[in-house]
Amino acid sequence: MQQLPLGVRLRDRAVFDSFLAAGNTAVLAHLRQLAAQPLPGLNWISGPPGSGKTHLLQALCAQAALSAAAAYLPLAELRPAGVGSLEGWQRLACLCMDDVDAVIGQPDWERALFALHRDAEEQGTALLFAARLPPRQLAFALPDLASRCAAGALFVLQPLNEVEQREALQLRARLRGLELPDEAAAWLQRHQRRDMQTLYGLLDTLDQAALHAQRRLTVPFIREVLNRERAPPT
């Protein structure tokens, strides 16, 4: 059964099939296997913003939760709630913790993470941590936590190149029943920020607009929608 804390919801499109592996086939295969059979131990995923860390953690949590208790904890969002938000989760089969670097360097949070890691080992919980950097490049306050994180399985996500970005956008569009032509995808890359978070957000907007207008995703239609979105309210 899927478990989520404090009203946190998984994105409905954050599944393995909507993730373009490209240069990240090894981590995708590892996480698929982990979702099918959660094994004890710490796994660490690092990568720059927009490289797919949150997508993969949520996909793992959603898949694992079909057969076992699993949870996704975004630490950047939970930080205002305090370290008590980490209590009790080590009893699950699979625990995915995002934005771990948001609390690294804070002794109270690190002590809580260390205790959670220790208890998770005893309970046989599979842990997955995600951060922008690998453990050895973060400024830990607690050496014991730093050494345990560094000893886990490390995967570094490779950002998509220009061609792979278009393929990822087209894959996401197809899963929604849309066709995104090459020229339309290339136009988005030329005229918008090229990080995947921004491009996926634009695809959300275009999906809704295309459904409402019953239009195809052509360059003129995309330009019309985005100009309308940017226009000041009257």
Side-chain angles (χ1 to χ4, degrees), residues 186-195 198-199 202 222 226 230:
W187 187 90
L188 284 172
Q189 287 179 305
R190 288 195 304 270
H191 294 86
Q192 307 295 326
R193 288 175 52 189
R194 292 196 177 189
D195 65 279
T198 296
L199 291 172
L202 291 171
I222 291 173
L226 297 184
R230 287 192 291 262

Side-chain angles (χ1 to χ4, degrees), residues 37-101:
Q37 184 180 6
L39 298 174
L42 174 64
N43 304 267
W44 187 289
I45 294 181
S46 67
S51 57
K53 300 186 298 296
T54 296
H55 185 130
L56 286 174
L57 261 65
Q58 293 198 2
L60 172 60
C61 182
Q63 187 67 33
L66 296 177
S67 57
Y72 167 79
L73 304 180
L75 296 191
E77 294 181 35
L78 296 180
R79 184 170 54 184
V83 297
S85 57
L86 296 184
E87 294 177 1
W89 298 106
Q90 67 273 19
R91 297 183 181 88
L92 305 182
C94 183
L95 180 59
C96 301
M97 309 190 73
D98 207 352
D99 302 317
V100 176
D101 43 344

Side-chain angles (χ1 to χ4, degrees), residues 10 30 47 71 190 210 229:
L10 299 183
H30 177 76
R190 288 195 304 270
E229 288 288 320

